[in-house]
Amino acid sequence: MSRTSDHELISLILNEATANKGFRLLVSQYQEQLYWQVRKMVVVHDDADDVLQNVFIKIFKGIKNFNGDSKLSTWMYRIAYNESVTFLTKKGKTLQISSQELQDHLTEKLEADVYFTSDEIELALKKALAQLPDRQREVFNYRYYDDLKFKDIATILDLSEGAVKSTYHIAAKKVEQFIKVN
Amino acid sequence: MKNNNQHTQAGFKVPEGYFDSLTDRVLENTQKDEIVEHAGFSVPKDYFSTLEDRILTLVQEDKKDVKVVTLQTSKNNTWLYPLLAMAAIFIGFVTINGLFSTDEVTFADLNDQELRDYIVDINFLQDEESMEILYADNSILNETEIKLEFTDNELLNYLMEDATLDQIIRE
């Protein structure tokens, strides 16, 4: 199926007569990218599904205000990022644990998760990522798994490009070190 | 020519039309069994194929839930807003003060326990306002009898039991 350009998608959505068709196309084109982004942050599939639904509702409500300063995908990534952070904060409060403890808790659950590969390398990598501060883990995920440009990561996380680059290199070093030691 | 269901190979037979639909069925099964994976994570079977419909249904429901009522902007109603504002102020005033309230709460209405709880709760005497209240009525100080003379024994007992070295230095 041919891919509809972001510009066309926005035009379709903003026209009341074609809004549903446009939004259907948008969901179909971006659902996987956004799902994996959310999943890497919240870890559990059911949680990722809940967050993703909220993300699309926010996108639908907010797309009229999308001003085109960044790419559509970057704008949606940012919404997904904010929703995931909000979800994790609420979850941490509910469980009455810190952000670091929450990451450890989620990583522990991974080993029993039927929707996680039994690949030892992936599990080791997830354990290494759980040790990183939130910001370093987020930057690492975007760069390593999603192959996003530093510039786009900077827009999503509201950081400077230089800060993103140095954060990534520090995170990568820490991950390497953790895997060597463990 | 042999019938479709009569193809034989080493004595085996296949159902009629078996080979005609085989390609489609194999492809269908291949797609079904394809595991969608990313960064070690996977999703339940058919998750993405049903996600689009679920999200669109949700968005439609969300749209229905939010009903925007347009405010009347007709010029005929311009007198209405000052009237509504006055009504709101009146209701606010009545809510805060009561319609014909003449009850005045006095200090004597408070019982000791309430007063004690209040002082503990608000950390009394920590702000300027509280200090002013304390010194507003000097009769309290005037009526208090302050003993200026102490015997040696009383002073000794005080120093031994109550005063700390720090207090003595400060005094």
Side-chain angles (χ1 to χ4, degrees), chain B residues 11-29:
Chain B
F12 295 114
K13 286 185 201 173
V14 292
E16 193 174 343
Y18 174 75
F19 288 110
D20 298 336
S21 59
L22 183 62
T23 313
D24 288 342
R25 282 186 290 114
V26 168
L27 283 175
E28 195 182 317
N29 283 330

Side-chain angles (χ1 to χ4, degrees), chain A residues 39 49 53 61 115 117 126, chain B residues 39-40 42 47 54 58 62:
Chain A
R39 179 77 185 274
D49 185 46
Q53 290 176 24
K61 283 180 175 171
Y115 295 120
T117 172
K126 293 286 176 291
Chain B
S42 60
Y47 174 69
R54 280 198 301 124
L58 256 172
D62 192 67

